[in-house]
Amino acid sequence: MLCLGSLSMALCFTTPAAHAGNGKKMITPLITKTISAAEIEVKGRVLSAKDKTGLPGVSVILKGTSKGVTTDVEGNYTITVNGPEDILVFSFVGSITQEVPVGNKSVIDVDLAENAKLLDEVVVVGYGTQTRERTTSAIANITSDKFNRSGARNAMDLIQGKVAGLNINRSGSNPNSGVSIQLRGVTSLTGGLAPLVVIDGIPGGNLDLLQQDDVESISVLKDGSAAAIYGTRANGGVILVTTKKGASGSAKFDYNTYFRKEYVRNRADFMTASQFRAKIADGTIPASADYGATTDAYDALINHGNLSQNHNLAMSGGGKNTTYRASLYYQDLQGIAKENGRKQYGGRVSIMQTGLKDRLTAQVNLATNFNKANLLGGGGWEGSLIRNPTLSFRNPDGSYYFEQTSTNEVARLEQETNRRQQQTTSADAKMSLQILPGLQASIFGAVQRDSYIDGSYRSLASEFSKENDVYPNGGYASRYTYLRNNYTLEPTVSFDKTFGTNHTINAVGGYSYQYAVQEDFEAANYGFVNDVFEENNLGAGNQLVAGKATMGSGKGDNTLIAFFGRANYSFMDKYLLSVILRHEGSSRFGVNNKWGNFPAASVGWNLSKEKFMENIKFVNSLKLRAGFGVTGNQDIANYSSLVTLGTGGVYINPDGQWRETYGPNRNPNPNLKWERKKEYNLGVDFTVLNKRLSGSLDVFKRVTNDLLYEYTSQLPPFVRETIYTNVGSISNKGVELTLSGVAVKTKDFSWNIDATGSYLTNRADDLSNDVFKVEAISTGDIGGYGALGQAMRIEQGGKLGNFYGKRFAGFTEDGKWLFYNRNNEKVRFDQINNSNDPNVSDLAIIGNGIPKFNASLTNNFAYKNLSLRVFLRGRFDYDILNTMALSYANKVSLPNNVLNSTFGKYANLNDTYQYSDYYLESGSFLKLDEITLSYNFNLKGDIIRSLRVYATGSNLATFTKYTGNDPDYVNDTGLGKEDDGQRRLGIDGRSAYPNTRSFLVGLSFGF
């Protein structure tokens, strides 16, 4: 090579050994710009290995440095390197990263191939796995890198807002409360609504056994064509949880910890002592209501010193034939309420071993959880809010002050106890033998055991003991024990074979046996003469002989047996077919309907593999799906089809002996059967714009037939007034959208966006038949003052979640209620016709408590090693009944404490308590749910593999017009039957656990 020119610019000529076609040597000019004697400018183009098109946005980085560039819209790049020894690293979303030595090259073109591992993302399905490319059903798969890692109290918190159509509700930050889960709306009026949870293959897995750092992935089987493999338990969908397992290689240790502090937000605005006295001064409240003290009963229940902590240590590794992973954890979860917390510890062990030349695989999992829960705190919020703020907690002599109209909650926390000791354990084992290539036989067995002891005591000095009518001035103690065992046995045979190059068949068939038995015992006694024994010596109470002590016990069991099979067929990975059949029997149903069949079928078409799509360059993958499936619901009480006997009292017989009498307390129903849900689903999965945008869109309709409800029965021939039977039907339909996009991708900065959205309607299609009829079903107890009844009504042909009541028409000049009658005339409340007959009733549908729209948005920003995650979610277009305002924004409540809005927004009201749309408010909200800032250290040492520090703020802001508590914690996912004692469907409870904002700092490192 011959070069002419200066150091800054050189004109070089090369004389290659090869000759041109005319036999003459070719001299090729090559212009190279150099910055220094050593630096070299390299150019090139990055192409897709699949279709040879230019790839924009590819990162081209000088290995070992932060120096780099990105390709332009045509895939071209230019970069300056230090010398021939440098290496260029080419990386792009969804492609295999390549490293190319510079050497003596000044032009480097690269073909980037698709990352087959990413394309063939493994999705956990019932009794097996599938690649994402071959799935034909609506399945959402969330891996650990996408989890909400903000101090999850429950494993389901990890996927809050991550799955379109999946609603996860919590009634507050109480560490001892669970979550209510609902997928794609209501599927039953009286049966279970939650999806079936399967943990590492165990149906009905216990979420208490899961810690956030031990979960690998969560798959949600959303439609019937996917969930039918679980038959009678899949009406609400299926959630499959896979825990982390070991991998062969050197031993690894991973430690994760966090500390969390919580603060009250959204406290109801009741009068303080100074505001209360101001109302005394202006004559609104009588002077006799001032008791001279200044107290804040609500704040006195708050644990301002709360600090929760979590520690998890995992160990993993293994060799060629054996891998393992074990984890130990400790948590001290402190509630925002005093005397409310949960300390727990436990572990999880997973061992896998192969033998017989890798034909035999054995997997063993063991998990256990020990927890001690303080259940005393967490209540009394309503009474504390309305308590007179000038009333002291104590008498002048220092003893606690008690009176009949309210509870001294401060004294209760000091003078009572309520504790739980619980142990939950699961063990499972699976052995798989490869009989022939592609043919495998397996057997899976599992046992789950959940047991706890509750003990409570109320001291001699407590308010309960002082005011007790059974035995005043004596202590009270109670004890409750519970034990539940679940046994599962499932042998299966699977087949996976490719014939030629185009035909692939994957199939699984098996048998399932599951037996569950639970038993409990409780006892209580009064009249303890000292507080020494508490609940540990119930016989020390002196009311056992008097017959005022209580005792009870119970036991129940049920059995499920099933035969199931699924077959998947793929032709050239273009045309896909899946069929499922499960034949299942349950002991809970009538003798005439013990067994049922649950079929499903779905098809898929990978359009992007067709020749006519080859020239549509912006589409990377496109698949259409269609599915139909039938599932069931057996989540009802044991023995629901049988006549059961109950005690009727002790009577003297002619022989002079006292004997217990028994009689039927339930009508038998030999025709009782499970509710059956038929579900249709159409979907599309897509990846476009050079894989920068991907997502799925699903449209579905569900119809649940043979709905179970308690109907009035005729006497005779029946022996009881009601019968539990199958009559009606309900339906839901909706649309779900999931999107993931790469908004910005440069050398140092990236911005990824994940979004979900769903629309849903629920309707009661039919509630009656020729034999059993019901005009309407009322639900949603309002509670509180005024005996206002129930707020919601289910009517045949109407929407579920409808509020039903009076229509507000204003106030009279003196503040009395006016409502519209059926003729739209303004009348007083006592002139409203409350009849159930729609032809004469003045009541009407006034709102709906189920959100029509749900949405979430996750923004992930990364600059070098610094990451920022911003998570928003919301629910829209629904109503909430503000019962706090209904009960305590009314002057009638005086001289009790009332909301300050009594004298503002509700100042015109001067009348009794009434339920109407006056108290219905829009529940729509957008929540800044989480912000996490984290930093990953670049470590090159031999000891620490990874180190990450992070800080998280949760529940930071809620944007809403609703004036009550946080609308996020109002139970809006069902029909009111999941009442937790504080909040019901669409009704903002007055005694709700405090809403909190929390801040968390955490550390993760591996070595």
Side-chain angles (χ1 to χ4, degrees):
M1 181 168 61
L2 173 65
C3 295
L4 303 175
S6 66
L7 287 175
S8 61
M9 179 69 73
L11 179 61
C12 301
F13 299 90
T14 62
T15 56
H19 291 74
N22 58 9
K24 297 181 180 180
K25 291 185 178 181
M26 295 291 296
I27 299 178
T28 304
L30 176 66
I31 297 176
T32 304
K33 183 179 180 180
T34 60
I35 305 304
S36 67
E39 289 185 338
I40 304 171
E41 184 179 82
V42 178
K43 296 181 178 181
R45 191 179 184 203
V46 182
L47 303 177
S48 167
K50 180 180 180 181
D51 54 19
K52 301 303 181 181
T53 59
L55 290 177
V58 176
S59 294
V60 185
I61 298 175
L62 191 61
K63 186 174 182 179
T65 72
S66 60
K67 182 179 181 180
V69 296
T70 57
T71 59
D72 63 17
V73 292
E74 298 295 331
N76 298 309
Y77 74 93
T78 301
I79 188 171
T80 301
V81 301
N82 298 320
E85 69 281 358
D86 284 343
I87 297 174
L88 294 180
V89 180
F90 297 82
S91 62
F92 186 64
V93 177
S95 299
I96 298 174
T97 298
Q98 284 195 40
E99 296 185 1
V100 181
V102 173
N104 60 0
K105 298 185 291 291
S106 57
V107 175
I108 299 177
D109 295 329
V110 172
D111 290 352
L112 279 188
E114 294 177 335
N115 190 329
K117 183 177 180 180
L118 293 176
L119 291 175
D120 294 337
E121 173 193 356
V122 175
V123 177
V124 179
V125 296
Y127 301 100
T129 59
Q130 289 180 346
T131 62
R132 170 61 68 185
E133 188 179 46
R134 291 179 178 174
T135 57
T136 55
S137 301
I139 301 174
N141 186 56
I142 312 300
T143 53
S144 57
D145 58 314
K146 298 287 187 179
F147 288 162
N148 301 324
R149 294 193 176 277
S150 53
R153 294 177 173 88
N154 184 286
M156 293 300 100
D157 294 339
L158 295 171
I159 58 171
Q160 171 77 281
K162 296 293 185 181
V163 180
L166 180 68
N167 291 331
I168 300 170
N169 275 49
R170 181 184 289 280
S171 59
S173 59
N174 189 332
N176 294 307
S177 69
V179 294
S180 63
I181 313 169
Q182 193 170 94
L183 180 65
R184 291 186 167 183
V186 175
T187 57
S188 178
L189 297 181
T190 60
L193 300 174
L196 171 70
V197 175
V198 181
I199 301 176
D200 287 336
I202 305 176
N206 194 320
L207 293 174
D208 285 344
L209 291 171
L210 293 174
Q211 303 302 309
Q212 68 171 23
D213 298 308
D214 292 333
V215 180
E216 178 66 29
S217 67
I218 298 177
S219 289
V220 182
L221 311 185
K222 299 202 289 184
D223 70 342
S225 68
I229 194 73
Y230 288 101
T232 64
R233 293 166 291 178
N235 258 13
V238 181
I239 296 177
L240 306 174
V241 181
T242 303
T243 60
K244 294 179 179 178
K245 305 296 189 293
S248 59
S250 59
K252 296 180 180 179
F253 294 83
D254 291 280
Y255 174 70
N256 294 276
T257 184
Y258 67 74
F259 293 84
R260 179 177 55 222
K261 178 79 173 178
E262 298 186 71
Y263 301 87
V264 174
R265 65 181 302 267
N266 264 46
R267 172 179 169 172
D269 185 24
F270 279 75
M271 288 189 290
T272 63
S274 60
Q275 292 170 331
F276 192 85
R277 290 190 173 103
K279 292 302 176 184
I280 292 176
D282 67 19
T284 303
I285 299 175
S288 60
D290 189 345
Y291 293 96
T294 297
T295 59
D296 186 342
Y298 189 90
D299 188 72
L301 304 184
I302 299 298
N303 176 17
H304 292 285
N306 73 86
L307 182 65
S308 296
Q309 57 180 299
N310 172 78
H311 305 274
N312 186 294
L313 176 63
M315 300 153 281
S316 63
K320 177 182 178 182
N321 295 321
T322 303
T323 59
Y324 67 90
R325 185 181 187 276
S327 65
L328 300 171
Y329 64 87
Y330 170 78
Q331 287 184 323
D332 181 1
L333 304 178
Q334 298 183 10
I336 193 67
K338 291 180 179 178
E339 299 299 325
N340 172 229
R342 181 185 182 95
K343 292 183 178 181
Q344 59 184 10
Y345 60 93
R348 175 175 290 274
V349 177
S350 174
I351 300 174
M352 177 180 288
Q353 183 159 326
T354 60
L356 293 179
K357 297 182 179 180
D358 295 335
R359 292 174 56 201
L360 178 65
T361 302
Q363 173 82 52
V364 177
N365 300 308
L366 175 65
T368 190
N369 173 282
F370 298 86
N371 78 73
K372 293 184 177 180
N374 189 344
L375 306 175
L376 182 64
W381 306 107
E382 180 181 8
S384 296
L385 287 169
I386 66 175
R387 195 174 192 269
N388 188 320
T390 69
L391 187 63
S392 174
F393 300 120
R394 296 182 180 271
N395 295 307
D397 63 359
S399 61
Y400 280 112
Y401 171 78
F402 302 133
E403 45 92 19
Q404 295 288 333
T405 61
S406 67
T407 299
N408 187 330
E409 296 292 343
V410 175
R412 184 180 68 85
L413 295 184
E414 182 176 314
Q415 297 174 335
E416 298 182 11
T417 61
N418 187 1
R419 296 171 289 228
R420 171 172 294 178
Q421 300 178 68
Q422 184 173 14
Q423 181 189 2
T424 306
T425 301
S426 77
D428 65 85
K430 182 177 182 179
M431 294 192 69
S432 301
L433 176 65
Q434 185 184 43
I435 302 172
L436 296 170
L439 181 64
Q440 181 172 273
S442 303
I443 185 167
F444 174 82
V447 59
Q448 291 187 97
R449 186 180 189 275
D450 184 20
S451 65
Y452 60 84
I453 301 173
D454 287 350
S456 65
Y457 184 73
R458 299 167 185 175
S459 68
L460 277 68
S462 69
E463 187 170 6
F464 175 88
S465 297
K466 293 289 186 183
E467 298 175 357
N468 190 273
D469 294 331
V470 177
Y471 191 90
N473 299 312
Y476 166 85
S478 68
R479 200 169 181 89
Y480 176 81
T481 64
Y482 174 86
L483 173 64
R484 178 182 176 88
N485 287 311
N486 280 12
Y487 304 92
T488 301
L489 179 65
E490 293 182 333
T492 58
V493 176
S494 62
F495 177 77
D496 192 347
K497 189 75 172 177
T498 298
F499 298 91
T501 58
N502 296 328
H503 305 276
T504 300
I505 296 177
N506 174 276
V508 63
Y511 166 83
S512 178
Y513 171 86
Q514 190 163 8
Y515 175 70
V517 57
Q518 64 278 335
E519 52 188 291
D520 62 349
F521 176 84
E522 60 180 333
N525 202 357
Y526 299 84
F528 292 83
V529 297
N530 61 60
D531 297 327
V532 174
F533 298 113
E534 295 187 330
E535 72 273 15
N536 300 311
N537 188 356
L538 293 182
N542 59 22
Q543 295 301 291
L544 183 62
V545 176
K548 294 181 179 180
T550 62
M551 183 172 62
S553 63
K555 186 175 182 178
D557 65 350
N558 71 282
T559 303
L560 275 174
I561 297 176
F563 303 88
F564 59 87
R566 178 184 60 230
N568 301 318
Y569 170 71
S570 169
F571 177 67
M572 299 177 64
D573 281 342
K574 290 183 184 179
Y575 313 111
L576 313 168
L577 171 67
S578 177
V579 292
I580 292 173
L581 178 63
R582 187 174 179 107
H583 180 62
E584 190 159 27
S586 171
S587 63
R588 286 176 169 166
F589 296 100
V591 65
N592 298 330
N593 287 298
K594 291 290 186 187
W595 292 85
N597 294 317
F598 302 93
S602 56
V603 294
W605 180 19
N606 278 312
L607 276 80
S608 53
K609 292 183 177 293
E610 298 288 356
K611 287 187 177 181
F612 60 78
M613 294 290 293
E614 289 180 354
N615 294 325
I616 305 178
K617 302 300 183 182
F618 72 91
V619 176
N620 302 107
S621 66
L622 179 63
K623 179 173 63 179
L624 300 181
R625 297 179 277 102
F628 169 79
V630 179
T631 54
N633 188 355
Q634 65 98 45
D635 192 4
I636 60 175
N638 294 331
Y639 319 122
S640 292
S641 68
L642 305 177
V643 60
T644 53
L645 300 180
T647 56
V650 179
Y651 296 91
I652 191 168
N653 278 250
D655 60 2
Q657 297 293 319
W658 290 84
R659 291 189 173 89
E660 181 72 67
T661 61
Y662 294 88
N665 56 14
R666 178 190 287 133
N667 281 319
N669 184 359
N671 296 316
L672 189 74
K673 57 185 176 181
W674 34 62
E675 301 170 329
R676 292 169 59 89
K677 175 174 65 66
K678 298 179 180 179
E679 184 167 7
Y680 305 84
N681 193 96
L682 293 174
V684 56
D685 301 324
F686 58 88
T687 303
V688 296
L689 303 177
N690 282 324
K691 303 181 189 136
R692 295 185 77 108
L693 179 64
S694 62
S696 62
L697 176 67
D698 284 274
V699 180
F700 67 89
K701 181 177 181 180
R702 294 172 147 189
V703 179
T704 304
N705 295 309
D706 300 323
L707 208 63
L708 285 166
Y709 193 71
E710 198 84 29
Y711 285 86
T712 301
S713 56
Q714 184 178 352
L715 299 175
F718 294 103
V719 295
R720 301 295 300 182
E721 298 80 5
T722 61
I723 186 171
Y724 195 49
T725 189
N726 306 85
V727 173
S729 66
I730 58 176
S731 63
N732 343 15
K733 57 184 178 180
V735 180
E736 298 166 351
L737 176 65
T738 301
L739 294 173
S740 295
V742 180
V744 178
K745 177 69 173 178
T746 66
K747 176 187 66 172
D748 294 327
F749 178 75
S750 65
W751 174 19
N752 296 333
I753 300 174
D754 297 308
T756 68
S758 63
Y759 166 80
L760 177 71
T761 61
N762 305 262
R763 188 171 297 274
D765 299 318
D766 198 0
L767 297 176
S768 303
N769 62 16
D770 294 337
V771 178
F772 300 104
K773 299 182 181 298
V774 61
E775 295 296 330
I777 298 172
S778 297
T779 186
D781 291 326
I782 298 172
Y785 298 138
L788 300 177
Q790 295 174 305
M792 311 187 88
R793 181 181 173 97
I794 304 171
E795 296 179 335
Q796 184 160 304
K799 292 182 178 180
L800 299 179
N802 278 339
F803 287 101
Y804 186 76
K806 296 184 287 291
R807 295 178 295 148
F808 175 66
F811 296 107
T812 63
E813 291 185 358
D814 58 350
K816 305 305 179 185
W817 290 105
L818 291 174
F819 300 104
Y820 290 108
N821 64 15
R822 61 186 178 278
N823 297 319
N824 288 324
E825 300 166 334
K826 296 181 180 181
V827 299
R828 289 289 310 277
F829 74 84
D830 54 1
Q831 297 176 291
I832 289 291
N833 188 326
N834 295 317
S835 170
N836 287 324
D837 185 350
N839 297 315
V840 298
S841 177
D842 292 323
L843 305 182
I845 295 172
I846 56 177
N848 190 276
I850 300 179
K852 293 182 179 65
F853 301 94
N854 288 264
S856 71
L857 178 67
T858 305
N859 291 278
N860 287 294
F861 305 94
Y863 177 72
K864 295 185 177 180
N865 296 334
L866 188 67
S867 298
L868 176 67
R869 178 176 179 272
V870 181
F871 176 48
L872 301 98
R873 60 182 176 85
R875 298 197 283 271
F876 308 94
D877 198 6
Y878 71 112
D879 303 298
I880 297 176
L881 176 60
N882 190 340
T883 59
M884 187 70 81
L886 189 156
S887 294
Y888 302 120
N890 193 325
K891 300 182 187 71
V892 174
S893 297
L894 297 172
N896 288 330
N897 200 352
V898 294
L899 289 162
N900 281 308
S901 55
T902 303
F903 314 104
K905 177 181 178 181
Y906 303 100
N908 292 331
L909 173 59
N910 189 23
D911 204 352
T912 186
Y913 306 100
Q914 292 291 320
Y915 160 56
S916 73
D917 56 2
Y918 180 68
Y919 294 108
L920 282 182
E921 302 179 27
S922 171
S924 298
F925 71 88
L926 177 65
K927 180 183 287 288
L928 179 55
D929 204 43
E930 178 190 326
I931 294 180
T932 296
L933 181 66
S934 63
Y935 188 85
N936 282 287
F937 291 86
N938 279 335
L939 301 173
K940 299 181 180 179
D942 296 330
I943 299 178
I944 298 180
R945 293 183 290 108
S946 61
L947 177 60
R948 174 178 178 259
V949 294
Y950 62 97
T952 297
S954 299
N955 198 17
L956 296 175
T958 302
F959 306 96
T960 181
K961 294 182 179 179
Y962 182 65
T963 62
N965 292 306
D966 190 331
D968 185 30
Y969 295 124
V970 177
N971 208 332
D972 56 20
T973 60
L975 302 166
K977 69 189 185 71
E978 67 272 48
D979 183 2
D980 61 2
Q982 298 178 351
R983 293 173 176 155
R984 294 165 294 279
L985 167 67
I987 300 176
D988 191 352
R990 293 168 291 268
S991 198
Y993 193 89
N995 178 23
T996 63
R997 176 186 291 117
S998 67
F999 297 94
L1000 175 151
V1001 292
L1003 169 70
S1004 301
F1005 71 90
F1007 54 96

